[in-house]
Amino acid sequence: MADAQDPKTAGDRPQPKIKLYWLDKSRSQRIVWLLCERLPGGARLVPRRWQEGREGEVGGETEAWLRYQYYLHYTEGSLMPILVMTLVLSRLKSSQVPFLVRPITSAAANAVLANYVFPNAQKHLAMLEAQLASSGGRYLCGDALTAADVLMSFPLLAAKDRWDSMGAWPGGSWAAAHPRVAEYVARLENEPGYKRSIAKIVEIDGGYSSSL
């Protein structure tokens, strides 16, 4: 898919024309969201780096900046592999596998899900629950939306209908077990920039689904 935006101006400076290509149901939706937040004019989606009076010092970074740096890598390096593995294992239990061998592949997939994927999913959501509780705001890095939240949106929105099928959660569901994460996911879905990005995709592609 490709979309060319008309040039915008910031003051007297013309802005470049941007064309974005992506695969359907891919993580590139986040790039559309980032563009919707940044163009024209644009919001700053990076936390302040230095504590006042400690500019350039080792250890002088703000907590929001350190969280931001961590989550830029955590999303793809830690959380997404669990979800991709879930997707691959689900294929081993599907009708795509020949009928005679499907009981074997299903048993193997269920064993990996129960002993590895689900315990790790619980750890990740518990960690995110604690991070949201200690962030000092509504988002992962504080009370302002950052690019880290935009990056985190895809795995959390794509997985929200998959978590419960992984195993038995305290309280009966992942949302009951981790209410702050559930509220955070709903908050991301209601972000104006997120809604604008989905509207743009629907305008060009005719539809959008946030799923793996």
Side-chain angles (χ1 to χ4, degrees):
M1 170 183 166
D3 174 31
Q5 293 190 2
D6 293 333
K8 304 293 183 181
T9 58
D12 295 329
R13 292 187 306 164
Q15 296 299 296
K17 191 174 184 178
I18 296 174
K19 182 175 286 188
L20 174 65
Y21 298 87
W22 81 73
L23 296 172
D24 291 339
K25 295 185 179 180
S26 78
R27 286 166 273 185
S28 298
Q29 176 272 331
R30 299 176 297 185
I31 306 302
V32 183
W33 184 358
L34 287 169
L35 291 173
C36 286
E37 294 287 349
R38 291 291 298 161
L39 299 173
R44 179 173 172 80
L45 298 176
V46 180
R48 182 166 57 89
R49 180 170 184 176
W50 301 107
Q51 300 176 44
E52 189 172 351
R54 300 193 62 187
E55 293 81 359
E57 292 183 15
V58 175
E61 295 88 351
T62 64
E63 181 179 347
W65 167 265
L66 294 173
R67 284 172 175 258
Y68 174 78
Q69 291 295 309
Y70 175 78
Y71 280 108
L72 288 181
H73 303 284
Y74 166 84
T75 304
E76 293 295 321
S78 298
L79 185 57
M80 276 303 300
I82 295 296
L83 303 182
V84 172
M85 185 174 294
T86 302
L87 179 63
V88 171
L89 291 171
S90 70
R91 296 289 190 269
L92 295 178
K93 302 191 292 180
S94 72
S95 58
Q96 295 174 326
V97 178
F99 176 76
L100 292 178
V101 298
R102 197 182 308 155
I104 300 173
T105 59
S106 294
N110 287 334
V112 176
L113 283 168
N115 294 301
Y116 178 76
V117 175
F118 182 53
N120 275 280
Q122 290 177 301
K123 291 176 183 177
H124 281 291
L125 290 189
M127 189 273 285
L128 290 172
E129 183 81 5
Q131 287 287 291
L132 287 165
S134 62
S135 73
R138 300 169 298 159
Y139 302 95
L140 288 171
C141 303
D143 206 37
L145 180 77
T146 70
D149 298 296
V150 175
L151 291 178
M152 186 65 73
S153 67
F154 182 85
L156 290 181
L157 290 171
K160 68 176 184 176
D161 295 327
R162 288 182 177 269
W163 296 123
D164 285 343
S165 65
M166 292 183 183
W169 296 86
S173 69
W174 75 268
H178 304 291
R180 286 189 178 88
V181 180
E183 291 173 5
Y184 175 66
V185 171
R187 187 174 301 120
L188 293 178
E189 280 191 293
N190 285 307
E191 282 291 323
Y194 176 81
K195 291 181 177 180
R196 289 197 303 273
S197 72
I198 299 305
K200 189 65 175 177
I201 294 170
V202 171
E203 174 190 334
I204 297 171
D205 268 6
Y208 175 74
S209 174
S210 59
S211 62
L212 293 171

